Amino acid sequence: MKLATIVDNINSRDGQLVVVSRDLKTAVKTTEIAKTMQEAIDNWNVVEPQLRKVAEDLEKGVLENTFGFSTAHIMSPIPRAYHWVDGSAYVTHVELVRKARGAELPASFWADPLVYMGASDAFIGPNDDILVENEEWGIDFEAEVAVITDDIPAGTKTEQAQKHIKLVMLVNDVTLRNLIPNELGKQFGFYQSKPWTSFSPVAVTPDELGASWDGTKVHLPLTSTLNETKIGSPNAGIDMTFDFARLIEHVSKTRSLTAGTIIGSGTVANNGSPDGSSCLAEVRCLETIQNGAPETPYMKFGDTIEIEMLDQEGNSVFGKIKQKVVQYFPG
Amino acid sequence: MKLATIVDNINSRDGQLVVVSRDLKTAVKTTEIAKTMQEAIDNWNVVEPQLRKVAEDLEKGVLENTFGFSTAHIMSPIPRAYHWVDGSAYVTHVELVRKARGAELPASFWADPLVYMGASDAFIGPNDDILVENEEWGIDFEAEVAVITDDIPAGTKTEQAQKHIKLVMLVNDVTLRNLIPNELGKQFGFYQSKPWTSFSPVAVTPDELGASWDGTKVHLPLTSTLNETKIGSPNAGIDMTFDFARLIEHVSKTRSLTAGTIIGSGTVANNGSPDGSSCLAEVRCLETIQNGAPETPYMKFGDTIEIEMLDQEGNSVFGKIKQKVVQYFPG
């Protein structure tokens, strides 16, 4: 089952939940079952079977009131969420970043997940412009995979975690690289350096991934394309040091989490970057290690980033994140 | 005007918004104006005058359907929020903590606000138990002031920030001290070390504070009492290096923020701690500086923490946060 949120006729903050056909061409509103994605995930046990019935009927072509699905002006699958926590689960990426600045990775980083809390009130649509005031802030994308969960009790262990994963989607975690050193130096984590996050047009139930979902991670390449040039397509199922079940154990260690929690994988990366990278920072680190300095600039106003994942038959699973960087003028 | 959220008859996640009388003794539901606090703050310009009319009528005693207000089983004013960002605005406190461990405070800390993102999906009610699995995690309270804002555009400057402050409340930012060193060492900020946050029974419009509200901070003592022993009552209007307007400028530097954003002051502290402290960590730092080692233990299972602010006539402005620490058994 594939779900998306479209703009409704009163332009409400939480939009209108729709079921989308497997080929991403047709959709139908689910108002009578759940008006919004949050409402659906709040009551998932009751709502899921009803939504699945709609999805089945949509595939059969027996529904009235369907309409052509376009990702042009849609919202994030959850337009605003109560919790967005992003891991840095591909430790090979963290190791590479450290190596580029001549620092060693503490051994504990391979055993103890690294996560940060992101701005869950600041999601933008999958095709919305990325508004940034200053190009000098070092604008970068980060291509990732994320899951949406139901309620997670405190103290959930890895073995019990998998059943809390209800939906999977892609992420562009926009990052302002040149604001990071000051923020990390203060030790309180990212804030100004992580302004906007967007997700793929649709979130899908894990079964839509077939054999590419092993219960805790997605075994497919994640492709990032900047201005029509491929930056990379590392496989999200390779070198994910902490899978989503392990991340759930980590984030629920001292408290429960609420339905609609979004957990991200962090930048997808494969050891040695044989298929390229999922962010420009990694490209620049590779250049630094090889040539002593980075060559690839960060994104500029007017640049367009596309992030997509194709299944083994070459069909887009989640639809495409496609966003242009646009200058923002405050006031 | 004073607002609170009570448990509704279907035990919904967002509860039922009520207007509470100035003396905190009577309340009335506002269902027809706004069912929830988030709904109210989403449409504040339209909703506020209607709620104020109810508040006036409640004071006059001309309303039907009022009921006795009790804080025993109520929810957080916003039971779950889209954004909770906590400052560390009383830099004198940060300086003291550093001094106790023999570290110097970087000069930039006096000019560049320190904030972290908190778990906005994990608010507990003002009189709910604080559930913690392990006493060895170093359980502490932090008494603070917070504001709730409407939508804040990106790039808002201090001068324009004040008008976005719609409500004021108190905070207990529960902190697991012994989990902090590992998390801050990883540079990604607090996560497991900040499990639960609670707010005062009511959130109030700034005018309820009278002359004690100067537009950007509250000039009243904030009293913390542990097991009926006063820990401190520093004045929240003194030594607040970054007032709420400055914090708003900081958090909106690179992005807009959504209505219902909660911004905290961080632990309230006065230079030299003449009136005591707003957390046990500060008490222990003072002991370390004076005697070489801390004496006061962190909170234990069964301990009760109370946080309250009285106005100049000795009346409780926000009601009392009163919470017992209780052991949690997972699974």
Side-chain angles (χ1 to χ4, degrees):
Chain A
M1 175 168 62
K2 302 191 178 191
L3 299 172
T5 296
I6 63 170
V7 177
D8 63 13
N9 51 14
I10 56 165
N11 211 19
S12 72
R13 294 173 186 263
D14 299 303
Q16 166 71 54
L17 184 64
V18 296
V19 170
V20 181
S21 63
R22 193 154 289 147
D23 64 7
L24 303 175
K25 289 188 176 153
T26 322
V28 63
K29 294 181 190 177
T30 62
T31 317
E32 282 164 37
I33 301 169
K35 168 72 164 66
T36 68
M37 179 69 99
Q38 184 66 49
E39 199 183 318
I41 198 81
D42 277 349
N43 305 291
W44 193 248
N45 283 347
V46 173
V47 166
E48 186 195 8
Q50 299 175 40
L51 292 176
R52 282 195 183 271
K53 176 73 170 64
V54 172
E56 275 169 34
D57 290 346
L58 183 63
E59 293 301 324
K60 284 183 200 154
V62 298
L63 292 182
E64 291 176 14
N65 299 321
T66 63
F67 55 92
F69 180 68
S70 157
T71 65
H73 300 290
I74 62 169
M75 302 171 85
S76 174
I78 300 188
R80 49 181 181 171
Y82 297 107
H83 194 57
W84 155 231
V85 51
D86 199 10
S88 200
Y90 298 83
V91 179
T92 185
H93 167 77
V94 184
E95 188 181 40
L96 184 72
V97 172
R98 298 258 173 158
K99 192 175 169 191
R101 62 170 204 251
E104 208 150 313
L105 191 76
S108 64
F109 276 50
W110 292 100
D112 180 27
L114 197 59
V115 303
Y116 81 91
M117 225 176 291
S120 61
D121 67 314
F123 298 155
I124 55 177
N127 294 343
D128 285 355
D129 291 340
I130 298 167
L131 297 175
V132 179
E133 188 181 331
N134 193 337
E135 226 172 40
E136 300 302 310
W137 290 342
I139 308 159
D140 201 359
F141 66 92
E142 287 190 358
E144 314 183 2
V145 177
V147 298
I148 304 177
T149 75
D150 65 358
D151 291 295
I152 302 172
T156 295
K157 297 297 178 195
T158 298
E159 310 78 58
Q160 298 301 319
Q162 190 178 317
K163 66 174 185 282
H164 295 291
I165 300 172
K166 300 306 179 188
L167 293 162
V168 184
M169 56 188 178
L170 305 181
V171 187
N172 179 13
D173 184 33
V174 176
T175 302
L176 302 173
R177 298 290 172 194
N178 296 337
L179 301 186
I180 288 184
N182 178 50
E183 292 205 314
L184 292 201
K186 293 194 284 185
Q187 292 192 317
F188 271 31
F190 306 102
Y191 195 90
Q192 296 172 338
S193 55
K194 296 278 191 182
W196 304 111
T197 307
S198 42
F199 299 94
S200 48
V202 303
V204 311
T205 48
D207 56 283
E208 287 289 333
L209 290 156
S212 300
W213 175 251
D214 71 4
T216 61
K217 48 187 185 293
V218 180
H219 294 266
L220 285 171
L222 177 62
T223 303
S224 301
T225 308
L226 180 63
N227 299 329
E228 300 183 355
T229 300
K230 187 166 111 173
I231 302 298
S233 54
N235 192 305
I238 298 174
D239 293 324
M240 189 181 192
T241 314
F242 308 110
D243 62 28
F244 285 110
R246 179 68 185 87
L247 290 177
I248 288 172
E249 173 173 323
H250 183 81
V251 297
S252 66
K253 179 178 170 178
T254 61
R255 68 172 183 95
S256 58
L257 289 102
T258 299
T261 285
I262 304 171
I263 304 176
S265 68
T267 308
V268 174
N270 295 159
N271 188 19
S273 309
D275 298 310
S277 302
S278 300
C279 67
L280 296 176
E282 183 170 304
V283 173
R284 289 163 57 91
C285 285
L286 289 163
E287 291 167 349
T288 301
I289 292 165
Q290 194 162 10
N291 312 318
E295 288 157 37
T296 303
Y298 288 124
M299 292 198 287
K300 298 193 179 307
F301 299 137
D303 281 0
T304 296
I305 175 68
E306 298 176 60
I307 297 170
E308 193 171 28
M309 185 176 264
L310 304 182
D311 65 17
Q312 285 172 332
E313 287 74 45
N315 300 312
S316 184
V317 180
F318 303 95
K320 193 190 279 187
I321 296 174
K322 182 173 180 178
Q323 302 180 294
K324 194 196 249 193
V325 181
V326 171
Q327 185 164 19
Y328 169 75
F329 298 95
Chain B
M1 177 167 63
K2 302 191 178 191
L3 299 172
T5 296
I6 63 170
V7 177
D8 63 11
N9 51 14
I10 56 164
N11 211 17
S12 73
R13 294 173 186 263
D14 299 302
Q16 166 70 55
L17 184 64
V18 296
V19 171
V20 181
S21 63
R22 194 155 289 146
D23 65 5
L24 304 175
K25 288 187 177 154
T26 321
V28 62
K29 294 181 189 176
T30 63
T31 318
E32 282 165 34
I33 301 169
K35 167 71 165 65
T36 68
M37 177 71 99
Q38 185 65 48
E39 199 183 318
I41 199 80
D42 277 351
N43 305 291
W44 192 249
N45 284 347
V46 173
V47 166
E48 185 194 9
Q50 299 175 39
L51 293 176
R52 281 193 184 272
K53 176 75 171 64
V54 172
E56 277 168 33
D57 291 346
L58 183 62
E59 294 300 326
K60 284 182 200 154
V62 298
L63 292 181
E64 291 175 14
N65 299 322
T66 63
F67 55 91
F69 181 68
S70 157
T71 65
H73 301 292
I74 63 170
M75 302 171 84
S76 175
I78 301 188
R80 48 180 182 172
Y82 296 107
H83 194 55
W84 155 232
V85 52
D86 199 11
S88 200
Y90 298 82
V91 178
T92 185
H93 166 77
V94 184
E95 190 181 37
L96 184 73
V97 172
R98 297 256 173 161
K99 193 174 168 193
R101 62 170 203 249
E104 209 151 314
L105 192 76
S108 65
F109 276 51
W110 291 100
D112 181 25
L114 196 60
V115 303
Y116 81 90
M117 226 176 289
S120 61
D121 67 314
F123 298 155
I124 54 177
N127 295 343
D128 285 356
D129 291 340
I130 298 168
L131 297 176
V132 180
E133 188 182 330
N134 192 337
E135 226 172 39
E136 301 301 310
W137 289 343
I139 308 159
D140 201 358
F141 65 93
E142 287 190 358
E144 314 183 3
V145 177
V147 299
I148 303 177
T149 75
D150 65 358
D151 290 295
I152 303 172
T156 296
K157 298 295 179 198
T158 298
E159 310 78 60
Q160 299 301 318
Q162 190 177 317
K163 66 172 187 279
H164 295 293
I165 299 172
K166 300 306 180 189
L167 293 162
V168 185
M169 56 188 177
L170 305 182
V171 186
N172 180 15
D173 184 34
V174 177
T175 302
L176 302 173
R177 298 290 172 193
N178 296 337
L179 301 186
I180 288 184
N182 178 50
E183 293 206 315
L184 292 201
K186 293 193 284 184
Q187 292 190 318
F188 271 32
F190 306 101
Y191 195 89
Q192 295 172 338
S193 54
K194 296 277 192 183
W196 304 110
T197 307
S198 42
F199 299 94
S200 47
V202 303
V204 311
T205 48
D207 56 282
E208 287 290 333
L209 290 156
S212 301
W213 174 251
D214 71 4
T216 61
K217 47 187 185 291
V218 180
H219 294 267
L220 285 172
L222 177 62
T223 303
S224 301
T225 307
L226 181 63
N227 299 330
E228 299 183 356
T229 299
K230 189 165 109 172
I231 303 298
S233 55
N235 192 306
I238 298 175
D239 294 323
M240 190 183 192
T241 314
F242 309 110
D243 63 26
F244 284 110
R246 179 69 185 88
L247 290 177
I248 287 172
E249 173 173 323
H250 183 82
V251 297
S252 66
K253 179 178 169 178
T254 61
R255 68 172 183 96
S256 58
L257 290 102
T258 299
T261 284
I262 304 171
I263 304 176
S265 67
T267 308
V268 173
N270 296 159
N271 188 17
S273 311
D275 298 310
S277 302
S278 300
C279 66
L280 296 176
E282 184 170 302
V283 173
R284 290 164 56 93
C285 284
L286 289 163
E287 292 167 347
T288 301
I289 291 165
Q290 193 162 7
N291 311 319
E295 287 156 39
T296 302
Y298 288 125
M299 292 198 288
K300 300 196 178 306
F301 299 138
D303 281 359
T304 296
I305 176 69
E306 297 176 59
I307 297 170
E308 194 171 27
M309 184 176 263
L310 304 183
D311 66 17
Q312 285 173 332
E313 287 75 45
N315 300 312
S316 183
V317 180
F318 303 95
K320 194 189 279 187
I321 295 174
K322 182 173 178 177
Q323 302 181 296
K324 194 196 252 192
V325 180
V326 172
Q327 184 165 19
Y328 169 75
F329 299 94

